[in-house]
Structure formats: structure tokens, C-alpha cells
């Protein structure tokens, strides 16, 4: 067995694996996606028929993620490899953030994008890699109030920088299994303007997303 070492950076997103041979691959994965939502709310001098306060509120919830990916890798030398990948993930993560009287529900529906992968062959079967890229978050927003309607809905698509680490173990010449971590931080988005009190106020909102995945990759 030939010992190999790696170090890596990257830029795209989904499931991927090792690069012990150049070529095209497809992959599938299942994961746990943890969605975080933060609202910073300042009511100013607005008055409502109920007690209302300013403040920052944050929530996190975890849901199931299913993903597929298509990519290509090639060896730079016996130790290092690089590659690119396009991916799509079905997401089932949602949060409810209650900031005083404002209630905001976020439902993450899909994530997709591309990434660059760079890694090292630790052995002839085991590889480590890093990835980084661009991910689109596709989610729905629902605003309501604790004391009464109205309820308002909207959809949003935000592009974010994603990054993470992974490990891949080769079962045979074509099939490998992998484990992967992906992180997305501080994704700002424009929420639904508040309607209570006729303010039209737009509060700063941020999303975070972390995912741990297990998957299988087939190399052609």
C-alpha cells in the first residue's frame, strides 16, 4: 500500500468522495441539517394593543436531508487530488422564531449549487478532503403575531458560501462510502415587512445551516 497525504480547500456543494482515480462520479447521501434563524427587532416608538418589546431571538432545529451529486476528480500526483461537483439537496428543516409578539416560521425546501474539492490519499483506500463553494438556499417565510392575524407568506432564494470537510473509504474500484460536514454561516435575507401597527418595519434576519452526511459514491 502506498502511503499518501493530503491537504485541501474547495468550492461547490453536495456529496463527494475520494479521487484515487481520475474520472466522472455520481453520489447520493442522507444527512441531518441543522437550521438556525436569528431576528434582531427594534420596535422604536411603535405602540400596539398588546405589550411589545425589542430584542434579538435565535432558534435552531434539525431535519432530514437527502442529496445527489455529479462531479469529476483527477489526481495531481500520487498524493493530491482536486475536483468539481454540482449538487442538489432536498431539505426538511424548519424553525419557529418568536420575538416578543412577532412569529416567523422558516421552511427550508432545497439547497443546490457547486463546489471545488481538494484532498489527499492517506492510503490506497482512505482519503481526506476539503470542499468550498456556492450554495443556493430555497426557503419559505411565514409571518404572524401571537395576539392576532394577519398572516403573510413569501419565498426567498439566497446564495451563500459553503465549506467543510469529508472522508472517503474505497470499497472497490468503483464504489466508495463517505462522511461529510458542511457549514453555511450568517446568510442575511430580507424578511416580510411587519404590518402590525402599520410600521412596515423590516428587521435584520440571518440563517445558519450545518449538515452532517453519510453517502455512497460510484465512479465510472
Amino acid at each position: 500500500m502506498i502511503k499518501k497525504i493530503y491537504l485541501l480547500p474547495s468550492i461547490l456543494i453536495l456529496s463527494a468522495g475520494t479521487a484515487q482515480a481520475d474520472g466522472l462520479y455520481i453520489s447520493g447521501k442522507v444527512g441531518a441539517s441543522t437550521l438556525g434563524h436569528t431576528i434582531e427587532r427594534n420596535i422604536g416608538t411603535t405602540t400596539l394593543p398588546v405589550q411589545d418589546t425589542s430584542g434579538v431571538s435565535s432558534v435552531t432545529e434539525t431535519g432530514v436531508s437527502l442529496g445527489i451529486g455529479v462531479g469529476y476528480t483527477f489526481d495531481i500526483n500520487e498524493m493530491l487530488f482536486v475536483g468539481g461537483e454540482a449538487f442538489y439537496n432536498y431539505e426538511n428543516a424548519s424553525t419557529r422564531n418568536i420575538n416578543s409578539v412577532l412569529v416567523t416560521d422558516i421552511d427550508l425546501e432545497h439547497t443546490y449549487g457547486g463546489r471545488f474539492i481538494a484532498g489527499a490519499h492517506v492510503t490506497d483506500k482512505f482519503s481526506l478532503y476539503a470542499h468550498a463553494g456556492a450554495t443556493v438556499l430555497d426557503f419559505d417565510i411565514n409571518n404572524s403575531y401571537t395576539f392576532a392575524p394577519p398572516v403573510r407568506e413569501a419565498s426567498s432564494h439566497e446564495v451563500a458560501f459553503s465549506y467543510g470537510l469529508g472522508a472517503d473509504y474505497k470499497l472497490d474500484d468503483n464504489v466508495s462510502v463517505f462522511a461529510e460536514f458542511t457549514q453555511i454561516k450568517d446568510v442575511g435575507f430580507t424578511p416580510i415587512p411587519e404590518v402590525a401597527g402599520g410600521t412596515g418595519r423590516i428587521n435584520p434576519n440571518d440563517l445558519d445551516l450545518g449538515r452532517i452526511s453519510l453517502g455512497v459514491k460510484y465512479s465510472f
Side-chain angles (χ1 to χ4, degrees):
M1 290 213 284
I2 300 175
K3 275 239 172 182
K4 309 178 179 182
I5 300 178
Y6 279 23
L7 261 181
L8 24 151
S10 26
I11 98 183
L12 288 93
I13 198 166
L14 171 265
S15 45
T18 155
Q20 301 205 184
D22 297 352
L24 180 70
Y25 69 84
I26 59 173
S27 62
K29 68 179 180 180
V30 60
S33 293
T34 300
L35 180 66
H37 177 213
T38 299
I39 301 173
E40 182 180 347
R41 190 162 176 262
N42 182 0
I43 65 171
T45 58
T46 303
T47 57
L48 295 175
V50 295
Q51 183 178 3
D52 193 13
T53 59
S54 300
V56 177
S57 58
S58 298
V59 294
T60 58
E61 294 290 343
T62 300
V64 175
S65 171
L66 299 173
I68 57 174
V70 178
Y72 189 93
T73 58
F74 63 92
D75 291 337
I76 298 174
N77 54 39
E78 287 189 346
M79 297 170 59
L80 303 178
F81 67 88
V82 295
E85 181 183 276
F87 61 88
Y88 167 83
N89 299 304
Y90 167 76
E91 305 284 359
N92 186 27
S94 61
T95 61
R96 167 161 285 196
N97 195 334
I98 302 176
N99 188 311
S100 189
V101 299
L102 176 66
V103 181
T104 303
D105 294 301
I106 301 292
D107 293 313
L108 182 63
E109 302 286 342
H110 315 279
T111 56
Y112 53 91
R115 68 182 179 177
F116 173 75
I117 300 162
H121 304 303
V122 180
T123 72
D124 58 351
K125 289 185 175 293
F126 181 66
S127 299
L128 297 174
Y129 61 92
H131 63 88
T135 299
V136 179
L137 288 78
D138 184 355
F139 57 97
D140 295 329
I141 311 166
N142 183 302
N143 268 16
S144 59
Y145 292 91
T146 58
F147 60 90
V151 174
R152 304 185 71 194
E153 299 177 347
S155 296
S156 185
H157 310 274
E158 299 294 336
V159 180
F161 174 71
S162 59
Y163 58 93
L165 298 171
D168 181 284
Y169 185 81
K170 192 171 184 179
L171 301 179
D172 59 33
D173 287 343
N174 301 107
V175 179
S176 62
V177 294
F178 64 90
E180 193 171 86
F181 173 72
T182 301
Q183 181 71 65
I184 299 172
K185 297 287 290 182
D186 300 326
V187 183
F189 67 93
T190 302
I192 300 172
E194 289 198 53
V195 294
T199 63
R201 177 173 49 240
I202 297 177
N203 306 298
N205 279 243
D206 291 310
L207 294 179
D208 296 323
L209 183 66
R211 182 189 302 110
I212 297 174
S213 304
L214 298 175
V216 178
K217 170 186 154 185
Y218 184 87
S219 300
F220 295 91

